[in-house]
Amino acid sequence: MANVDRARKLLVRTALVTSSTIATLIGAQNLALQDTSKSEPALTPTAEPAGIPTTAPVAPVEPTAITQASPTIAINHAAPNVVILRRAGQAGPIQQSAPAVQAASIQLPVPVEAAAPAPVIVQGEAPPPIIVQQGSSSGSQPSTTTQTSR
Amino acid sequence: MIYAITFRAMGCRVEIKLDAPDGDAILAGMPAKFDALEDCLSRFRPDSELMRLNAQAGAWVAVSDVLFNNIHAAKHMARLTDGLFNPLVLPALVANGYDRSFESLRPHSEAPARPALDWRAIELDFASQQVRLPAGGAIDLGGSAKGWSAQRIAAELAAYGPCLVNIGGDVAVRGAPEGLPGWQIDIADPTSSDNLGAVWLHDAAIVTSGVDYRRWTGADGQTRHHIINPVTGMPAETDLLTATIIHPDAATAEAYAKAVLLKGSETGLAWLDERWHAAGLIVRQDGAVVATTDFVNYLREGIPQ
Protein backbone atom coordinates (compact mmCIF):
# COMPACT_ATOMS: atom_id res chain seq x y z
CA MET A 1 0.00 0.00 0.00
CA ALA A 2 2.79 2.33 0.85
CA ASN A 3 4.33 1.55 -2.52
CA VAL A 4 1.13 2.48 -4.30
CA ASP A 5 0.97 5.76 -2.45
CA ARG A 6 4.58 6.52 -3.32
CA ALA A 7 3.94 5.70 -6.95
CA ARG A 8 0.82 7.89 -7.08
CA LYS A 9 2.71 10.80 -5.55
CA LEU A 10 5.53 10.39 -8.05
CA LEU A 11 3.04 10.38 -10.89
CA VAL A 12 1.37 13.54 -9.65
CA ARG A 13 4.67 15.34 -9.19
CA THR A 14 5.79 14.36 -12.67
CA ALA A 15 2.57 15.65 -14.16
CA LEU A 16 2.94 18.94 -12.32
CA VAL A 17 6.53 19.46 -13.49
CA THR A 18 5.68 18.54 -17.05
CA SER A 19 2.68 20.81 -17.22
CA SER A 20 4.55 23.75 -15.74
CA THR A 21 7.35 23.22 -18.26
CA ILE A 22 4.91 23.20 -21.11
CA ALA A 23 3.28 26.35 -19.76
CA THR A 24 6.65 28.05 -19.56
CA LEU A 25 7.43 27.15 -23.17
CA ILE A 26 4.09 28.39 -24.39
CA GLY A 27 4.50 31.60 -22.44
CA ALA A 28 7.90 32.22 -23.90
CA GLN A 29 6.55 31.69 -27.40
CA ASN A 30 3.79 34.16 -26.73
CA LEU A 31 6.29 36.71 -25.56
CA ALA A 32 8.29 36.22 -28.72
CA LEU A 33 5.22 36.72 -30.85
CA GLN A 34 4.40 39.87 -28.98
CA ASP A 35 7.90 41.21 -29.65
CA THR A 36 7.44 40.79 -33.36
CA SER A 37 4.14 42.57 -33.32
CA LYS A 38 5.37 45.63 -31.47
CA SER A 39 5.24 47.71 -34.59
CA GLU A 40 1.64 46.86 -35.19
CA PRO A 41 -0.81 49.35 -33.86
CA ALA A 42 -2.40 48.29 -30.64
CA LEU A 43 -6.11 47.83 -30.77
CA THR A 44 -7.75 50.09 -28.29
CA PRO A 45 -11.46 50.17 -27.53
CA THR A 46 -13.33 53.27 -28.68
CA ALA A 47 -16.41 54.97 -27.33
CA GLU A 48 -18.15 54.92 -30.67
CA PRO A 49 -21.12 52.70 -30.97
CA ALA A 50 -20.47 49.52 -32.79
CA GLY A 51 -21.82 49.56 -36.26
CA ILE A 52 -21.03 48.54 -39.72
CA PRO A 53 -17.61 50.09 -40.43
CA THR A 54 -17.43 52.24 -43.54
CA THR A 55 -14.40 53.64 -45.35
CA ALA A 56 -14.14 56.65 -47.55
CA PRO A 57 -13.29 55.96 -51.17
CA VAL A 58 -9.56 56.08 -51.74
CA ALA A 59 -8.28 58.21 -54.57
CA PRO A 60 -6.21 56.28 -57.13
CA VAL A 61 -2.45 56.64 -56.53
CA GLU A 62 -0.55 58.18 -59.39
CA PRO A 63 2.62 56.20 -60.18
CA THR A 64 5.78 58.07 -59.22
CA ALA A 65 7.49 59.51 -62.24
CA ILE A 66 10.83 57.88 -62.87
CA THR A 67 13.43 60.55 -63.38
CA GLN A 68 16.86 60.06 -64.80
CA ALA A 69 19.86 60.64 -62.58
CA SER A 70 21.76 63.84 -63.13
CA PRO A 71 24.35 63.37 -65.87
CA THR A 72 26.86 65.28 -63.77
CA ILE A 73 27.09 62.53 -61.17
CA ALA A 74 30.49 60.85 -61.40
CA ILE A 75 30.51 57.13 -60.86
CA ASN A 76 33.54 56.18 -58.79
CA HIS A 77 34.61 52.61 -59.05
CA ALA A 78 35.75 51.77 -55.55
CA ALA A 79 38.27 48.95 -55.40
CA PRO A 80 39.38 47.52 -52.08
CA ASN A 81 43.05 47.64 -51.17
CA VAL A 82 43.99 50.11 -53.90
CA VAL A 83 45.50 53.53 -53.21
CA ILE A 84 45.99 56.54 -55.44
CA LEU A 85 49.55 57.77 -54.92
CA ARG A 86 49.60 60.49 -57.56
CA ARG A 87 46.70 62.02 -59.43
CA ALA A 88 46.55 62.74 -63.10
CA GLY A 89 48.31 65.94 -64.02
CA GLN A 90 50.55 65.97 -60.97
CA ALA A 91 54.28 65.52 -61.24
CA GLY A 92 57.11 64.43 -59.07
CA PRO A 93 57.67 61.48 -56.74
CA ILE A 94 54.73 59.80 -55.08
CA GLN A 95 53.80 60.44 -51.45
CA GLN A 96 55.42 57.49 -49.73
CA SER A 97 54.33 58.69 -46.29
CA ALA A 98 50.67 58.76 -47.20
CA PRO A 99 48.68 56.43 -44.97
CA ALA A 100 47.45 53.35 -46.66
CA VAL A 101 43.68 53.47 -46.79
CA GLN A 102 41.56 50.42 -47.29
CA ALA A 103 39.34 51.85 -50.00
CA ALA A 104 39.93 54.38 -52.73
CA SER A 105 38.20 55.38 -55.89
CA ILE A 106 39.70 55.22 -59.31
CA GLN A 107 38.26 57.71 -61.71
CA LEU A 108 38.39 56.89 -65.35
CA PRO A 109 41.17 58.94 -66.94
CA VAL A 110 40.60 61.72 -69.42
CA PRO A 111 42.11 60.50 -72.67
CA VAL A 112 45.47 62.10 -73.15
CA GLU A 113 47.68 61.68 -76.13
CA ALA A 114 50.93 60.30 -74.81
CA ALA A 115 53.92 61.27 -76.85
CA ALA A 116 55.62 58.10 -77.98
CA PRO A 117 59.34 58.24 -77.41
CA ALA A 118 61.47 57.66 -80.44
CA PRO A 119 62.90 54.15 -80.54
CA VAL A 120 66.47 53.96 -79.43
CA ILE A 121 68.72 52.27 -81.93
CA VAL A 122 72.03 51.13 -80.57
CA GLN A 123 74.75 51.63 -83.12
CA GLY A 124 77.89 49.55 -83.18
CA GLU A 125 79.01 46.79 -80.88
CA ALA A 126 77.86 46.45 -77.30
CA PRO A 127 80.36 47.67 -74.70
CA PRO A 128 82.37 44.95 -72.95
CA PRO A 129 81.22 43.66 -69.55
CA ILE A 130 82.35 45.72 -66.58
CA ILE A 131 82.99 44.34 -63.15
CA VAL A 132 83.23 46.88 -60.37
CA GLN A 133 83.81 46.54 -56.70
CA GLN A 134 81.11 48.36 -54.84
CA GLY A 135 82.76 48.38 -51.46
CA SER A 136 81.87 46.62 -48.24
CA SER A 137 78.47 45.18 -47.63
CA SER A 138 77.58 47.64 -44.92
CA GLY A 139 78.62 50.67 -46.91
CA SER A 140 76.45 52.63 -49.25
CA GLN A 141 76.06 51.22 -52.74
CA PRO A 142 74.32 52.34 -55.88
CA SER A 143 70.75 51.13 -56.02
CA THR A 144 69.27 49.11 -58.84
CA THR A 145 66.38 50.43 -60.90
CA THR A 146 63.40 48.54 -62.19
CA GLN A 147 61.96 49.93 -65.41
CA THR A 148 60.81 48.63 -68.77
CA SER A 149 63.49 46.77 -70.69
CA ARG A 150 66.00 49.01 -72.41
CA MET B 1 82.36 42.65 -50.47
CA ILE B 2 79.78 43.44 -53.15
CA TYR B 3 80.82 43.02 -56.76
CA ALA B 4 78.70 44.14 -59.69
CA ILE B 5 78.83 43.44 -63.40
CA THR B 6 76.93 45.16 -66.20
CA PHE B 7 76.64 44.10 -69.83
CA ARG B 8 74.08 43.80 -72.58
CA ALA B 9 72.25 40.57 -73.25
CA MET B 10 68.74 39.49 -74.21
CA GLY B 11 68.33 42.86 -75.90
CA CYS B 12 68.68 44.84 -72.68
CA ARG B 13 71.03 45.92 -69.96
CA VAL B 14 71.95 43.24 -67.45
CA GLU B 15 73.21 44.09 -63.99
CA ILE B 16 74.25 41.47 -61.45
CA LYS B 17 75.47 42.08 -57.90
CA LEU B 18 76.99 39.50 -55.61
CA ASP B 19 78.06 39.86 -52.01
CA ALA B 20 80.82 37.26 -51.82
CA PRO B 21 84.61 37.24 -51.31
CA ASP B 22 85.33 35.89 -54.83
CA GLY B 23 82.43 37.68 -56.44
CA ASP B 24 84.51 39.13 -59.27
CA ALA B 25 85.63 35.71 -60.48
CA ILE B 26 82.13 34.32 -60.25
CA LEU B 27 80.55 37.23 -62.09
CA ALA B 28 83.13 37.07 -64.86
CA GLY B 29 81.35 33.98 -66.16
CA MET B 30 77.95 35.63 -66.43
CA PRO B 31 78.16 36.97 -70.01
CA ALA B 32 78.93 33.50 -71.32
CA LYS B 33 76.06 32.05 -69.31
CA PHE B 34 73.67 34.56 -70.85
CA ASP B 35 75.01 33.83 -74.30
CA ALA B 36 74.21 30.17 -73.76
CA LEU B 37 70.71 31.08 -72.60
CA GLU B 38 70.14 33.09 -75.75
CA ASP B 39 71.37 30.23 -77.90
CA CYS B 40 68.50 28.30 -76.37
CA LEU B 41 65.71 30.81 -75.85
CA SER B 42 66.12 33.70 -78.27
CA ARG B 43 63.82 34.10 -81.25
CA PHE B 44 66.30 36.56 -82.74
CA ARG B 45 68.91 33.85 -83.29
CA PRO B 46 67.78 31.77 -86.30
CA ASP B 47 69.67 28.71 -85.06
CA SER B 48 68.46 28.88 -81.47
CA GLU B 49 66.84 25.81 -80.01
CA LEU B 50 63.59 27.72 -79.71
CA MET B 51 63.52 28.64 -83.40
CA ARG B 52 64.33 25.07 -84.39
CA LEU B 53 61.37 23.96 -82.28
CA ASN B 54 59.15 26.60 -83.88
CA ALA B 55 60.14 25.31 -87.30
CA GLN B 56 58.79 21.87 -86.38
CA ALA B 57 55.36 22.86 -85.13
CA GLY B 58 53.01 19.91 -85.16
CA ALA B 59 55.71 17.36 -84.41
CA TRP B 60 57.13 16.02 -81.16
CA VAL B 61 60.59 17.45 -80.56
CA ALA B 62 63.03 16.56 -77.80
CA VAL B 63 64.37 19.68 -76.14
CA SER B 64 66.90 20.65 -73.48
CA ASP B 65 66.15 21.15 -69.79
CA VAL B 66 66.33 24.92 -70.13
CA LEU B 67 63.86 25.13 -73.00
CA PHE B 68 61.51 22.53 -71.56
CA ASN B 69 61.42 24.28 -68.20
CA ASN B 70 60.86 27.65 -69.87
CA ILE B 71 57.94 26.38 -71.92
CA HIS B 72 56.51 24.64 -68.87
CA ALA B 73 56.78 27.88 -66.91
CA ALA B 74 55.20 29.82 -69.78
CA LYS B 75 52.20 27.49 -69.82
CA HIS B 76 51.88 27.92 -66.07
CA MET B 77 51.95 31.70 -66.50
CA ALA B 78 49.23 31.44 -69.12
CA ARG B 79 47.12 29.40 -66.72
CA LEU B 80 47.65 31.90 -63.90
CA THR B 81 46.61 34.81 -66.10
CA ASP B 82 43.69 33.06 -67.84
CA GLY B 83 45.51 33.32 -71.15
CA LEU B 84 46.30 37.04 -70.99
CA PHE B 85 49.90 35.95 -71.08
CA ASN B 86 50.24 33.57 -74.01
CA PRO B 87 53.59 32.32 -75.32
CA LEU B 88 52.07 31.61 -78.76
CA VAL B 89 52.16 35.32 -79.73
CA LEU B 90 55.20 35.11 -82.00
CA PRO B 91 53.19 35.22 -85.25
CA ALA B 92 51.34 38.29 -83.94
CA LEU B 93 54.60 40.01 -82.97
CA VAL B 94 56.02 39.38 -86.43
CA ALA B 95 52.80 40.50 -88.09
CA ASN B 96 53.05 43.77 -86.19
CA GLY B 97 56.57 44.35 -87.39
CA TYR B 98 58.58 43.10 -84.40
CA ASP B 99 60.39 40.50 -86.43
CA ARG B 100 63.95 41.35 -85.37
CA SER B 101 65.67 42.67 -82.29
CA PHE B 102 64.36 46.04 -81.18
CA GLU B 103 67.69 47.69 -81.87
CA SER B 104 67.44 46.70 -85.53
CA LEU B 105 63.84 47.63 -86.20
CA ARG B 106 63.10 49.54 -89.38
CA PRO B 107 59.69 50.50 -90.74
CA HIS B 108 58.43 47.89 -93.16
CA SER B 109 55.14 46.41 -94.28
CA GLU B 110 53.25 44.43 -91.69
CA ALA B 111 51.04 41.43 -92.22
CA PRO B 112 47.42 41.31 -91.02
CA ALA B 113 46.95 40.76 -87.28
CA ARG B 114 46.98 37.14 -86.16
CA PRO B 115 45.35 36.25 -82.84
CA ALA B 116 47.41 33.80 -80.82
CA LEU B 117 46.47 30.14 -80.81
CA ASP B 118 45.18 28.58 -77.60
CA TRP B 119 48.12 28.12 -75.24
CA ARG B 120 46.59 24.87 -74.00
CA ALA B 121 47.45 23.33 -77.36
CA ILE B 122 51.13 23.28 -76.37
CA GLU B 123 51.83 19.70 -75.36
CA LEU B 124 54.56 18.61 -72.96
CA ASP B 125 55.75 15.05 -72.43
CA PHE B 126 57.56 15.06 -69.09
CA ALA B 127 58.80 11.48 -69.40
CA SER B 128 60.66 12.05 -72.64
CA GLN B 129 61.11 15.82 -72.29
CA GLN B 130 59.48 16.48 -75.64
CA VAL B 131 57.31 19.36 -76.80
CA ARG B 132 54.71 19.52 -79.54
CA LEU B 133 53.48 22.88 -80.70
CA PRO B 134 50.14 23.22 -82.46
CA ALA B 135 50.37 23.34 -86.22
CA GLY B 136 50.91 26.90 -87.33
CA GLY B 137 51.93 27.96 -83.84
CA ALA B 138 55.20 29.50 -82.72
CA ILE B 139 56.50 30.46 -79.32
CA ASP B 140 58.05 33.70 -78.16
CA LEU B 141 59.53 33.63 -74.68
CA GLY B 142 60.25 37.34 -74.52
CA GLY B 143 57.46 37.76 -72.02
CA SER B 144 58.78 35.24 -69.51
CA ALA B 145 62.40 34.29 -70.25
CA LYS B 146 63.95 37.32 -68.57
CA GLY B 147 62.07 36.72 -65.34
CA TRP B 148 62.76 32.99 -65.49
CA SER B 149 66.47 33.60 -66.14
CA ALA B 150 66.77 36.19 -63.39
CA GLN B 151 65.16 33.83 -60.90
CA ARG B 152 67.33 30.88 -61.92
CA ILE B 153 70.62 32.75 -61.94
CA ALA B 154 69.84 34.38 -58.60
CA ALA B 155 69.19 30.92 -57.16
CA GLU B 156 72.57 29.71 -58.46
CA LEU B 157 74.47 32.72 -57.16
CA ALA B 158 72.77 32.48 -53.77
CA ALA B 159 75.07 29.55 -53.03
CA TYR B 160 77.92 32.08 -52.87
CA GLY B 161 76.14 34.91 -51.09
CA PRO B 162 73.37 37.50 -51.29
CA CYS B 163 72.79 38.54 -54.87
CA LEU B 164 70.73 40.66 -57.21
CA VAL B 165 70.05 39.89 -60.86
CA ASN B 166 68.51 42.64 -62.99
CA ILE B 167 67.70 41.76 -66.60
CA GLY B 168 66.23 44.80 -68.25
CA GLY B 169 64.18 45.73 -65.21
CA ASP B 170 63.21 42.18 -64.22
CA VAL B 171 64.90 41.91 -60.83
CA ALA B 172 65.34 38.84 -58.65
CA VAL B 173 67.15 39.07 -55.31
CA ARG B 174 68.30 36.50 -52.82
CA GLY B 175 69.36 37.27 -49.28
CA ALA B 176 70.39 40.75 -48.22
CA PRO B 177 73.77 42.48 -48.04
CA GLU B 178 75.24 42.32 -44.55
CA GLY B 179 73.79 44.94 -42.28
CA LEU B 180 71.01 45.91 -44.66
CA PRO B 181 67.34 44.89 -44.65
CA GLY B 182 67.48 43.96 -48.31
CA TRP B 183 68.53 45.17 -51.75
CA GLN B 184 67.40 48.73 -52.53
CA ILE B 185 65.53 48.93 -55.81
CA ASP B 186 64.34 52.21 -57.29
CA ILE B 187 61.14 52.34 -59.28
CA ALA B 188 61.56 54.44 -62.40
CA ASP B 189 58.93 57.05 -63.31
CA PRO B 190 58.15 56.58 -66.99
CA THR B 191 56.85 60.16 -67.20
CA SER B 192 60.07 61.81 -66.03
CA SER B 193 63.71 61.20 -65.28
CA ASP B 194 62.96 60.88 -61.57
CA ASN B 195 62.16 57.77 -59.62
CA LEU B 196 58.77 57.15 -58.09
CA GLY B 197 60.28 55.70 -54.95
CA ALA B 198 62.28 52.75 -53.66
CA VAL B 199 61.67 49.41 -52.03
CA TRP B 200 63.96 47.10 -50.14
CA LEU B 201 63.62 43.45 -51.03
CA HIS B 202 65.14 40.15 -50.01
CA ASP B 203 64.22 36.74 -51.48
CA ALA B 204 61.71 38.30 -53.81
CA ALA B 205 61.37 39.71 -57.29
CA ILE B 206 60.20 42.96 -58.79
CA VAL B 207 59.39 43.36 -62.47
CA THR B 208 58.32 46.37 -64.51
CA SER B 209 56.65 45.95 -67.84
CA GLY B 210 55.26 48.67 -70.00
CA VAL B 211 54.39 50.24 -73.31
CA ASP B 212 56.51 53.30 -72.76
CA TYR B 213 59.77 52.20 -74.30
CA ARG B 214 59.69 49.45 -76.94
CA ARG B 215 57.53 51.35 -79.41
CA TRP B 216 57.95 51.78 -83.12
CA THR B 217 56.10 53.26 -86.03
CA GLY B 218 54.80 50.81 -88.58
CA ALA B 219 54.86 51.30 -92.31
CA ASP B 220 51.23 52.41 -92.03
CA GLY B 221 52.23 55.23 -89.68
CA GLN B 222 50.60 53.58 -86.67
CA THR B 223 52.51 53.51 -83.39
CA ARG B 224 52.92 50.00 -82.09
CA HIS B 225 54.39 48.41 -79.00
CA HIS B 226 55.41 44.91 -77.98
CA ILE B 227 52.66 44.08 -75.45
CA ILE B 228 50.41 42.02 -77.67
CA ASN B 229 46.81 41.26 -76.82
CA PRO B 230 46.66 37.52 -77.64
CA VAL B 231 42.94 37.74 -78.44
CA THR B 232 43.28 40.40 -81.13
CA GLY B 233 46.88 39.85 -82.16
CA MET B 234 47.37 43.62 -81.97
CA PRO B 235 49.27 45.79 -79.50
CA ALA B 236 47.21 46.06 -76.36
CA GLU B 237 44.97 49.08 -76.03
CA THR B 238 45.54 50.16 -72.48
CA ASP B 239 45.44 53.33 -70.41
CA LEU B 240 48.62 52.25 -68.63
CA LEU B 241 52.23 53.12 -69.27
CA THR B 242 53.84 50.69 -66.87
CA ALA B 243 53.00 48.04 -64.32
CA THR B 244 55.43 47.07 -61.54
CA ILE B 245 54.83 43.83 -59.68
CA ILE B 246 56.46 42.40 -56.55
CA HIS B 247 56.21 38.63 -56.12
CA PRO B 248 58.38 35.84 -54.74
CA ASP B 249 58.97 34.58 -58.31
CA ALA B 250 60.26 36.80 -61.12
CA ALA B 251 58.63 34.83 -63.94
CA THR B 252 55.25 35.08 -62.23
CA ALA B 253 55.79 38.78 -61.60
CA GLU B 254 56.56 39.25 -65.28
CA ALA B 255 53.39 37.47 -66.36
CA TYR B 256 51.29 39.40 -63.88
CA ALA B 257 52.74 42.67 -65.16
CA LYS B 258 51.62 41.78 -68.68
CA ALA B 259 48.15 40.82 -67.46
CA VAL B 260 47.72 44.04 -65.50
CA LEU B 261 48.78 46.08 -68.53
CA LEU B 262 46.22 44.31 -70.67
CA LYS B 263 43.46 44.73 -68.09
CA GLY B 264 44.11 48.43 -67.59
CA SER B 265 43.69 50.65 -64.56
CA GLU B 266 40.05 49.92 -63.92
CA THR B 267 40.40 46.23 -63.12
CA GLY B 268 44.10 45.40 -63.30
CA LEU B 269 45.10 46.09 -59.70
CA ALA B 270 41.91 44.67 -58.27
CA TRP B 271 42.61 41.47 -60.20
CA LEU B 272 46.22 41.44 -59.00
CA ASP B 273 45.21 41.99 -55.39
CA GLU B 274 43.34 38.69 -55.50
CA ARG B 275 46.57 36.87 -56.39
CA TRP B 276 48.64 35.34 -53.61
CA HIS B 277 51.79 37.19 -52.60
CA ALA B 278 51.46 39.79 -55.36
CA ALA B 279 51.74 43.56 -54.94
CA GLY B 280 51.47 46.05 -57.77
CA LEU B 281 51.92 49.67 -58.83
CA ILE B 282 50.73 51.14 -62.10
CA VAL B 283 51.47 54.39 -63.90
CA ARG B 284 48.67 55.57 -66.17
CA GLN B 285 49.21 57.45 -69.39
CA ASP B 286 47.76 60.57 -67.73
CA GLY B 287 50.54 60.37 -65.11
CA ALA B 288 48.42 59.04 -62.26
CA VAL B 289 50.05 56.44 -60.02
CA VAL B 290 47.97 53.81 -58.25
CA ALA B 291 49.12 50.91 -56.12
CA THR B 292 47.81 48.10 -53.98
CA THR B 293 48.08 48.63 -50.23
CA ASP B 294 50.64 45.83 -50.05
CA PHE B 295 52.87 47.74 -52.45
CA VAL B 296 52.37 50.95 -50.48
CA ASN B 297 53.57 49.10 -47.39
CA TYR B 298 56.78 48.19 -49.23
CA LEU B 299 57.28 51.86 -50.05
CA ARG B 300 56.37 53.16 -46.60
CA GLU B 301 58.11 50.72 -44.35
CA GLY B 302 61.21 50.34 -46.45
CA ILE B 303 61.52 46.71 -45.42
CA PRO B 304 60.07 43.71 -47.11
CA GLN B 305 57.69 41.04 -45.84
Side-chain angles (χ1 to χ4, degrees):
Chain A
M1 199 66 170
N3 288 339
V4 174
D5 288 339
R6 276 206 291 275
R8 187 180 302 119
K9 287 179 183 175
L10 179 62
L11 188 63
V12 169
R13 287 176 186 158
T14 303
L16 285 173
V17 170
T18 303
S19 61
S20 64
T21 302
I22 292 173
T24 301
L25 289 174
I26 292 174
Q29 187 178 22
N30 286 339
L31 283 173
L33 287 173
Q34 286 185 16
D35 285 342
T36 60
S37 64
K38 274 185 181 175
S39 60
E40 297 176 3
L43 297 176
T44 54
T46 65
E48 295 175 357
I52 300 175
T54 58
T55 57
V58 178
V61 177
E62 294 293 333
T64 303
I66 298 175
T67 60
Q68 293 184 350
S70 168
T72 61
I73 294 177
I75 299 175
N76 295 325
H77 298 271
N81 302 324
V82 174
V83 181
I84 299 176
L85 297 175
R86 186 175 75 189
R87 297 193 176 275
Q90 293 179 340
I94 54 182
Q95 296 298 321
Q96 298 183 25
S97 59
V101 295
Q102 290 303 312
S105 63
I106 302 174
Q107 296 190 2
L108 298 178
V110 175
V112 173
E113 288 295 321
V120 174
I121 301 176
V122 176
Q123 301 288 344
E125 295 182 357
I130 304 170
I131 300 178
V132 297
Q133 187 173 306
Q134 294 193 335
S136 61
S137 307
S138 56
S140 62
Q141 48 155 319
S143 61
T144 294
T145 302
T146 180
Q147 59 187 19
T148 49
S149 299
R150 61 194 67 202
Chain B
M1 185 65 66
I2 297 178
Y3 293 91
I5 185 173
T6 59
F7 55 95
R8 286 198 68 84
M10 296 187 172
C12 58
R13 177 177 176 271
V14 177
E15 173 191 26
I16 303 176
K17 299 182 180 181
L18 176 62
D19 186 359
D22 299 325
D24 53 346
I26 298 168
L27 294 181
M30 288 294 109
K33 180 179 283 290
F34 273 77
D35 192 57
L37 284 172
E38 290 192 79
D39 275 343
C40 177
L41 307 173
S42 175
R43 68 175 174 97
F44 299 120
R45 297 190 179 186
D47 295 332
S48 72
E49 188 180 5
L50 173 65
M51 295 308 287
R52 284 185 273 119
L53 171 65
N54 283 333
Q56 302 175 73
W60 284 103
V61 179
V63 298
S64 65
D65 291 347
V66 170
L67 184 57
F68 190 87
N69 289 333
N70 260 276
I71 295 174
H72 182 212
K75 280 196 71 175
H76 183 58
M77 297 308 122
R79 185 175 300 110
L80 288 179
T81 59
D82 299 322
L84 287 175
F85 169 83
N86 186 335
L88 289 170
V89 295
L90 180 53
L93 281 166
V94 173
N96 277 280
Y98 197 6
D99 59 351
R100 65 203 70 184
S101 63
F102 186 70
E103 293 85 359
S104 308
L105 276 181
R106 296 288 186 275
H108 62 287
S109 298
E110 294 89 18
R114 297 181 57 180
L117 298 178
D118 191 341
W119 60 270
R120 287 167 291 195
I122 301 172
E123 297 175 85
L124 301 175
D125 186 329
F126 288 83
S128 61
Q129 201 163 285
Q130 294 188 80
V131 178
R132 182 165 66 179
L133 302 181
I139 282 182
D140 169 65
L141 295 173
S144 60
K146 288 194 290 295
W148 183 92
S149 300
Q151 192 76 19
R152 179 180 173 121
I153 292 172
E156 292 178 2
L157 292 175
Y160 302 100
C163 62
L164 174 150
V165 179
N166 176 10
I167 305 175
D170 293 12
V171 183
V173 301
R174 292 290 294 267
E178 188 177 348
L180 295 176
W183 294 90
Q184 180 183 343
I185 299 165
D186 296 328
I187 303 165
D189 184 349
T191 65
S192 75
S193 58
D194 298 325
N195 291 325
L196 290 173
V199 297
W200 292 78
L201 298 180
H202 68 81
D203 302 292
I206 182 168
V207 170
T208 296
S209 191
V211 303
D212 61 321
Y213 186 70
R214 289 183 186 259
R215 305 168 70 103
W216 65 93
T217 303
D220 56 0
Q222 295 290 322
T223 299
R224 300 166 192 264
H225 59 76
H226 72 297
I227 305 295
I228 298 293
N229 183 334
V231 175
T232 64
M234 293 294 293
E237 294 182 3
T238 176
D239 64 340
L240 299 183
L241 273 178
T242 61
T244 299
I245 309 297
I246 296 175
H247 190 272
D249 175 65
T252 304
E254 192 172 5
Y256 282 172
K258 301 287 190 299
V260 170
L261 281 169
L262 284 166
K263 284 181 170 291
S265 65
E266 198 169 341
T267 60
L269 282 187
W271 174 87
L272 182 78
D273 198 52
E274 296 175 352
R275 269 61 219 166
W276 287 96
H277 306 301
L281 177 144
I282 57 176
V283 181
R284 294 203 309 230
Q285 296 195 21
D286 61 6
V289 179
V290 189
T292 61
T293 52
D294 286 341
F295 201 104
V296 173
N297 290 332
Y298 278 110
L299 290 170
R300 290 174 62 210
E301 297 172 7
I303 56 176
Q305 288 90 14

